[in-house]
Amino acid sequence: MNSRLTTIFFIISLFFYTVCFSQTKTAVTSKQAKLVSEISLSDQDIAVFKEQTKQKVEEFQQHIVTLGSKDEPAEKRNLAEREALKLFYKGAQMEISSVLSDGSVRKMARPMEKYLARLKSLPYTQVVIKFYDIAYIREFTKGPDGKYYSTATIIQEFTGFSGDDIIYRDVTKKEVEIIIDLVEDPFFNEKRWKLFLGDIKATETRNA
Amino acid sequence: MHRFHNYVINLFILLILLSGKVVLSQSQIIDSEKNFNLNVKQFNEFIDRFNYKTDFNGNPVDSVFKSKITRAKYLDLLFNKDDVRLKNADSEYIDLKNEFIKHVVDRNLLINKYSLKIIAEAKSNVKYKNNSKEISIYLNQEIESNGVKWVLLSVKADFLDVLSEDTVLLRFIPPTSNETNFISLKRVFDDSTYQHYYAYHNYSYDPLSSFLFALNTGLVKYQYVNEIVYHIIVIDGWHIQVKEFNRNTDNSGWLINNIVKTNLDPNECFEQIINN
């Protein structure tokens, strides 16, 4: 009889312990969830902006292909340069890390305008960019200025041709800053969220 | 007929060689893509994988993934496998790694990505008096107006380490110096590298302020960040170091470079990080 009572008491204690413990864990988790929800967009917004991020990044890469290919008409290349710049937030920079033959790394940062102008002057008749289908986009986080920030990672193989000859090829990992800002839409005369590209860090991937 | 026969054989060999080349280049591409999938591409992704939140493709970890890869195994993949201690099977470090993984898994510990206890050390190039120097800039995240930002915490640089210690000589400004027009101040400021002993009780030298002074007077010109090392002191008793490994292998990207077991509280741990 005594042992049966002890067993029942043990089961009841275990039940209460489990309930209390899980409540403590839930409390901690919901506190964190509240913080995250305060500083992040909703899941629906994230899905929409993630899709937009992919489109904008692809658009930018397409412009690079056009303005880097000397076989394209000058007018088309100039248009690609202007359209590419429109994708960016004012003041965006491109930082490029290149691995030198001695294994050291050289870094060079340029304003996006200068980067694009320089790319246009490179001696490629044709540029081919091969994408690896594994872009990573982190969740959007709100900054103290009310804008939302994210970073997209893309990995691409860049090949520059002169005629049929490959004169440059590299595999580069690019981290692209994404900024969502509330901007005035003159057409609708109201403020709307708009997605811009920001600073880009491009790193040449090393061989093992 | 014989010539035709040779032609067919040669063509056949050529086709085999060509198909071999195509298969090889395709497999290389697939391998590269596999590498990039396993590559921990951002520090944010490192935390999501550490927390067993997302799989290799960035999708939420589900029961199928859990049945294939346990959290312990997933955590193990976040260690730099090129670490000589792991390559040489250093039992002390392997035991420490296993103890850490068990500690995290048993308690289901998570890293809050906005924690104050995540410190980024941005190893940076500067020009100091026209000479290249590497310095460390320490940052962490603050929440302001419901938004997140990184803030400067401290700076470590040889050229900012200008003060010396002396426990023998008692240095002070005499009590009646005010009556003599503080003539003694000349001696105080000529007492090179020991001037801090003349400052108020509990004064502590602030390298960040000195750095800002040096930037604004042209002594230092900032160039760029060479490398980032994250110091994570979120998990009580442990100091985790994470950095990026840029190489073309499965084990690449943001990985645990070192773990240290510590008895220090987070503030003491931070002091140790910036003073070491």
Side-chain angles (χ1 to χ4, degrees):
Chain A
M1 181 65 184
N2 264 350
S3 79
R4 189 173 293 171
L5 270 175
T6 311
T7 310
I8 291 169
F9 178 74
F10 176 73
I11 290 169
I12 291 171
S13 305
L14 190 67
F15 172 74
F16 276 107
Y17 172 79
T18 310
V19 168
C20 292
F21 184 68
S22 57
Q23 273 181 346
T24 316
K25 283 199 90 172
T26 312
V28 172
T29 316
S30 65
K31 196 177 165 189
Q32 275 185 3
K34 188 167 175 272
L35 174 68
V36 172
S37 74
E38 278 171 356
I39 55 182
S40 302
L41 291 164
S42 72
D43 286 349
Q44 276 179 322
D45 294 334
I46 285 168
V48 171
F49 283 119
K50 274 196 168 180
E51 198 47 48
Q52 265 199 34
T53 300
K54 277 184 193 170
Q55 288 168 5
K56 294 268 180 182
V57 170
E58 278 169 22
E59 203 179 321
F60 172 57
Q61 303 294 336
Q62 200 48 53
H63 289 317
I64 285 185
V65 169
T66 307
L67 70 90
S69 302
K70 279 199 154 66
D71 278 356
E72 297 285 353
E75 205 173 293
K76 192 177 173 188
R77 294 172 69 212
N78 292 337
L79 181 67
E81 186 181 6
R82 286 197 299 275
E83 291 301 312
L85 268 177
K86 280 186 196 168
L87 298 171
F88 284 89
Y89 213 79
K90 200 178 169 205
Q93 296 216 24
M94 169 71 90
E95 184 193 81
I96 301 169
S97 302
S98 317
V99 183
L100 303 178
S101 52
D102 63 356
S104 61
V105 174
R106 186 184 62 191
K107 295 198 182 198
M108 182 73 80
R110 288 193 178 89
M112 201 54 69
E113 297 89 333
K114 286 194 175 170
Y115 167 76
L116 294 174
R118 193 172 174 274
L119 193 63
K120 209 170 63 171
S121 68
L122 291 176
Y124 310 129
T125 53
Q126 194 200 349
V127 164
V128 173
I129 293 181
K130 178 178 181 290
F131 296 94
Y132 295 96
D133 185 27
I134 34 98
Y136 174 83
I137 305 168
R138 67 164 281 172
E139 69 270 21
F140 286 90
T141 305
K142 193 178 169 188
D145 56 357
K147 295 171 194 147
Y148 286 85
Y149 295 83
S150 172
T151 311
T153 302
I154 50 167
I155 294 157
Q156 64 177 41
E157 189 181 290
F158 178 100
T159 311
F161 290 87
S162 178
D164 289 336
D165 300 327
I166 293 172
I167 56 170
Y168 184 77
R169 173 179 277 169
D170 69 9
V171 176
T172 309
K173 182 179 163 202
K174 278 184 181 161
E175 267 92 29
V176 186
E177 184 182 37
I178 309 293
I179 304 162
I180 303 174
D181 192 10
L182 208 51
V183 293
E184 191 76 37
D185 186 329
F187 186 76
F188 292 100
N189 198 23
E190 63 179 14
K191 288 200 162 186
R192 290 185 170 216
W193 289 107
K194 194 175 173 193
L195 192 144
F196 296 93
L197 308 183
D199 292 341
I200 299 182
K201 173 191 157 201
T203 314
E204 193 183 332
T205 58
R206 283 177 204 244
N207 289 326
Chain B
M1 187 64 190
H2 181 69
R3 281 181 65 186
F4 179 73
H5 186 247
N6 278 346
Y7 172 75
V8 168
I9 289 173
N10 286 339
L11 187 66
F12 183 68
I13 290 170
L14 186 68
L15 281 174
I16 286 177
L17 287 173
L18 277 176
S19 65
K21 198 175 176 190
V22 169
V23 168
L24 180 67
S25 53
Q26 274 181 349
S27 70
Q28 276 171 343
I29 291 165
I30 290 163
D31 275 347
S32 304
E33 289 187 5
K34 196 181 95 191
N35 283 338
F36 292 138
N37 252 346
L38 295 173
N39 176 291
V40 189
K41 290 167 280 298
Q42 293 181 17
F43 179 67
N44 185 74
E45 191 177 28
F46 169 86
I47 294 182
D48 283 347
R49 289 195 192 183
F50 185 98
N51 289 344
Y52 210 29
K53 190 180 162 194
T54 55
D55 64 15
F56 297 115
N57 299 315
N59 301 318
V61 163
D62 57 12
S63 54
V64 178
F65 186 82
K66 282 181 180 174
S67 69
K68 286 178 185 162
I69 299 178
T70 62
R71 187 171 182 205
K73 175 69 189 158
Y74 209 37
L75 284 171
D76 191 62
L77 292 174
L78 290 177
F79 278 80
N80 167 29
K81 300 288 186 240
D82 265 11
D83 189 315
V84 283
R85 293 168 296 181
L86 297 179
K87 274 182 142 177
N88 297 342
D90 175 345
S91 59
E92 200 177 322
Y93 189 64
I94 290 172
D95 289 348
L96 189 73
K97 175 177 73 94
N98 293 339
E99 184 188 342
F100 171 75
I101 291 173
K102 189 172 182 323
H103 180 81
V104 171
V105 172
D106 288 354
R107 291 163 184 78
N108 192 24
L109 298 175
L110 306 176
I111 295 174
N112 171 9
K113 60 181 72 165
Y114 305 114
S115 172
L116 298 173
K117 298 177 197 168
I118 296 176
I119 296 155
E121 179 183 356
K123 295 184 178 181
S124 306
N125 261 28
V126 296
K127 284 266 184 195
Y128 171 66
K129 294 182 177 173
N130 280 331
N131 294 318
S132 282
K133 298 267 183 190
E134 190 179 78
I135 66 166
S136 285
I137 296 174
Y138 297 91
L139 306 100
N140 74 352
Q141 297 164 102
E142 269 184 11
I143 292 171
E144 183 191 307
S145 311
N146 284 338
V148 181
K149 61 177 184 175
W150 286 93
V151 293
L152 301 170
L153 281 177
S154 189
V155 180
K156 187 164 71 181
D158 290 347
F159 59 83
L160 294 175
D161 199 9
V162 290
L163 300 179
S164 308
E165 288 206 22
D166 180 10
T167 51
V168 179
L169 197 64
L170 185 63
R171 292 177 159 86
F172 63 95
I173 302 170
T176 56
S177 280
N178 56 318
E179 307 295 357
T180 54
N181 204 29
F182 285 116
I183 294 168
S184 54
L185 283 182
K186 170 77 174 135
R187 276 198 303 280
V188 169
F189 295 124
D190 283 347
D191 192 5
S192 185
T193 74
Y194 295 103
Q195 296 96 336
H196 57 298
Y197 284 109
Y198 300 92
Y200 57 84
H201 180 62
N202 278 344
Y203 162 80
S204 76
Y205 173 67
D206 172 15
L208 177 57
S209 298
S210 298
F211 182 64
L212 298 182
F213 170 82
L215 283 171
N216 287 291
T217 52
L219 270 175
V220 168
K221 187 156 175 56
Y222 186 83
Q223 293 185 298
Y224 53 81
V225 176
N226 274 329
E227 181 185 39
I228 297 173
V229 178
Y230 290 96
H231 301 270
I232 303 173
I233 43 178
V234 174
I235 293 170
D236 285 347
W238 296 89
H239 169 197
I240 312 161
Q241 285 175 36
V242 175
K243 63 180 234 181
E244 189 176 26
F245 293 88
N246 175 13
R247 59 190 176 217
N248 193 15
T249 64
D250 287 353
N251 180 243
S252 60
W254 293 96
L255 299 169
I256 296 174
N257 182 43
N258 195 21
I259 45 165
V260 178
K261 211 172 172 183
T262 175
N263 294 320
L264 303 174
D265 70 38
N267 286 335
E268 291 171 330
C269 202
F270 171 69
E271 288 297 324
Q272 193 190 52
I273 290 163
I274 60 170
N275 290 324
N276 266 350

